[in-house]
Amino acid sequence: MVSKADRVVLIGVGGDSGCGKSTFLRRLKDLFSKELVTVICLDDYHSLDRKQRKETGITALDPRANNFDLMAEQAAALKSGQSIQKPIYNHETGKIDPPERIDPTPIVILEGLHPFYDKRVRDLLDFKVYFDLSDPIKIQWKIQRDMAERGHSYDDVIRAIESRRPDFSAYIDPQKQHADVVLQILPSELPEKKDGTKKIKAAMVQVEGIPNYDPPYLFDRAISDVCWKPNFPNSDPELTFCYGTTDYFGRPASYLSIDGEFAPDDSPELEQKLRNTSETRFGELASLILKHTDYPGSRDGTGFFQVLIGLKFRSIYEALIAQSLAAAKV
Amino acid sequence: MTTDYDKLIEQEKAEAKQICSINGDGSPQCAAAWDAVEEVQAAASHVQSKEKKPNSLQSYCADNPDAIECRIYED
């Protein structure tokens, strides 16, 4: 519970299902005690249940299947410290269950397909993260998830992706231009792994001017477009870590990228060259990777940047709390 | 009570294939039906990652936290 005077910090986490949002949320929970964090799954604001969507031919990606008025109203209420009666979308039955009471905690996470779609909701968010999964890796991850685990055929995986694509491109993907930080998951150009799967190049794009955010960089902020090939004995010989400036949908931005795989044990050395990580102690980033090498993406830039984004969010949270404490004293 | 997600996924998938063969692959009904498959699969994979079955010692200690094998003093 938060008292009225306290500041509720709202963070939005967007991207398609199976893009790594839930792994990122697990990593955030490793950074904050669970009493501090409430996660709201935006599927709860579906206005049509599964049966109705199938009858009308409207996917969950379509804004018409979602109640943005209620989402905006309840996000505003939570941010001002008020409790809400939030509907529950039941993923098992596909129905909308009776609402539950949600009391705001100091951190509230809005996670789902449309966190930045509605301007009212977007403007309430203190930090916006989007997971941008490129098609070849989306296919690869879905094959790993749906074929290996559940006997789905390759054709089914492709058909599912193809049929959802028009709505994904129309309503979900364009939201990334509103994000503060975008984690791009791209196929690497390095040779494939022994099992025939592609390696990953992860890039963390951060637009300039995010409040309370000092962008991390490699070696020296003044030197842009620099790459480092560390050459660790247990990692890819071609492992490459880059920093540079770029333009992201007309906004000046900088990026960090990691191409290839590394042994988690090498993460302390990877992070040594990185500045502005917002760590509270030296080596914190690497220790968070090493704490959970079982999470997917712990051997490439996916996990590394998930942890880094988490650390950056923690420093935004602390800055906002310090400001509200200072304001309360006056 | 746990849901049989494999069965649920099979049902949704069969329905999607049927809907797509009636309405055509590019139809909105076909997209909505495959979206339902995706939703159930995502739910299943979230449950699976949450539910790692406890081993026999863990379930014994959940029932008998005072047993000699299970006591943990945090001092």
Side-chain angles (χ1 to χ4, degrees):
Chain A
M1 263 305 279
V2 280
S3 69
K4 283 257 169 181
D6 285 336
R7 176 83 159 77
V8 173
V9 175
L10 271 187
I11 160 172
V13 180
D16 200 3
S17 76
C19 70
K21 279 183 303 205
S22 53
T23 308
F24 174 64
L25 295 181
R26 280 204 279 170
R27 293 193 186 278
L28 273 190
K29 286 176 188 161
D30 291 337
L31 278 170
F32 297 98
S33 75
K34 53 174 189 282
E35 292 73 32
L36 280 179
V37 184
T38 305
V39 179
I40 309 265
C41 173
L42 294 178
D43 289 354
D44 291 333
Y45 294 100
H46 282 340
S47 55
L48 304 173
D49 64 24
R50 191 142 71 214
K51 193 156 166 276
Q52 292 167 326
R53 290 197 305 272
K54 275 194 273 190
E55 281 164 4
T56 51
I58 295 175
T59 68
L61 310 166
D62 193 314
R64 289 177 293 167
N66 297 278
N67 185 347
F68 288 107
D69 291 340
L70 185 63
M71 194 194 292
E73 185 191 305
Q74 298 205 329
L78 287 172
K79 187 152 178 172
S80 63
Q82 293 159 13
S83 300
I84 56 165
Q85 287 290 329
K86 181 186 65 58
I88 301 173
Y89 178 73
N90 185 326
H91 289 91
E92 254 172 67
T93 60
K95 294 208 172 85
I96 296 158
D97 286 350
E100 62 177 337
R101 180 192 158 117
I102 300 284
D103 299 319
T105 53
I107 297 170
V108 174
I109 304 174
L110 304 184
E111 164 269 317
L113 293 166
H114 303 92
F116 322 138
Y117 187 84
D118 186 280
K119 188 173 188 299
R120 295 165 296 177
V121 179
R122 194 160 77 220
D123 290 346
L124 289 167
L125 296 170
D126 295 297
F127 189 50
K128 303 188 272 290
V129 187
Y130 184 85
F131 288 85
D132 186 6
L133 190 56
S134 69
D135 252 12
I137 305 297
K138 184 183 279 189
I139 293 168
Q140 177 164 307
W141 284 4
K142 293 224 155 133
I143 285 172
Q144 284 164 354
R145 186 190 78 185
D146 302 335
M147 255 171 91
E149 291 171 15
R150 316 211 154 249
H152 221 47
S153 77
Y154 178 78
D155 285 347
D156 290 346
V157 172
I158 302 297
R159 267 182 98 178
I161 290 175
E162 289 297 334
S163 59
R164 290 172 82 251
R165 188 193 309 276
D167 283 356
F168 178 78
S169 310
Y171 310 120
I172 309 302
D173 195 51
Q175 291 179 73
K176 64 189 181 194
Q177 53 194 298
H178 299 296
D180 297 321
V181 172
V182 175
L183 183 56
Q184 299 174 325
I185 313 290
L186 309 156
S188 168
E189 275 158 37
L190 300 179
E192 292 183 342
K193 286 195 261 184
K194 277 187 209 117
D195 61 4
T197 56
K198 295 179 185 70
K199 286 176 186 165
I200 282 164
K201 177 182 177 179
M204 172 177 164
V205 180
Q206 41 204 348
V207 301
E208 260 178 38
I210 311 166
N212 304 301
Y213 185 99
D214 203 2
Y217 57 89
L218 210 53
F219 301 116
D220 185 335
R221 203 199 309 257
I223 309 169
S224 178
D225 306 300
V226 60
C227 284
W228 171 50
K229 281 196 182 184
N231 210 350
F232 301 134
N234 298 317
S235 303
D236 270 338
E238 295 297 309
L239 179 71
T240 310
F241 198 171
C242 296
Y243 165 73
T245 52
T246 183
D247 174 282
Y248 196 73
F249 293 97
R251 295 193 290 175
S254 62
Y255 69 87
L256 287 163
S257 69
I258 294 177
D259 193 358
E261 294 206 329
F262 54 87
D265 289 341
D266 290 331
S267 42
E269 271 155 90
L270 268 185
E271 82 154 284
Q272 265 186 24
K273 306 290 189 289
L274 204 55
R275 305 287 171 265
N276 270 350
T277 53
S278 296
E279 292 174 310
T280 50
R281 53 176 205 280
F282 183 66
E284 191 178 15
L285 199 166
S287 77
L288 285 162
I289 302 264
L290 290 167
K291 190 173 157 191
H292 284 292
T293 50
D294 55 327
Y295 288 0
S298 301
R299 302 184 64 88
D300 59 43
T302 317
F304 192 89
F305 290 138
Q306 282 178 349
V307 172
L308 182 55
I309 295 168
L311 291 171
K312 296 311 291 185
F313 170 65
R314 187 179 62 186
S315 74
I316 290 178
Y317 166 75
E318 280 167 357
L320 290 172
I321 294 303
Q323 283 167 18
S324 86
L325 284 177
K329 268 186 200 155
V330 176
Chain B
M1 251 288 287
T2 53
T3 320
D4 187 349
Y5 273 105
D6 288 329
K7 210 172 138 194
L8 195 55
I9 291 167
E10 278 314 310
Q11 279 170 5
E12 291 289 343
K13 226 164 73 176
E15 198 177 329
K17 285 180 178 171
Q18 196 190 4
I19 289 175
C20 295
S21 69
I22 296 167
N23 295 282
D25 271 346
S27 67
Q29 284 78 12
C30 175
W34 275 111
D35 187 43
V37 177
E38 170 61 33
E39 186 177 285
V40 176
Q41 281 177 324
S45 84
H46 286 165
V47 170
Q48 204 175 45
S49 54
K50 247 184 269 168
E51 273 180 9
K52 272 199 182 145
K53 276 205 176 149
N55 62 33
S56 55
L57 180 65
Q58 284 164 332
S59 36
Y60 174 70
C61 287
D63 295 337
N64 308 285
D66 289 338
I68 195 80
E69 303 87 326
C70 305
R71 291 182 193 181
I72 297 169
Y73 299 97
E74 286 175 14
D75 50 16

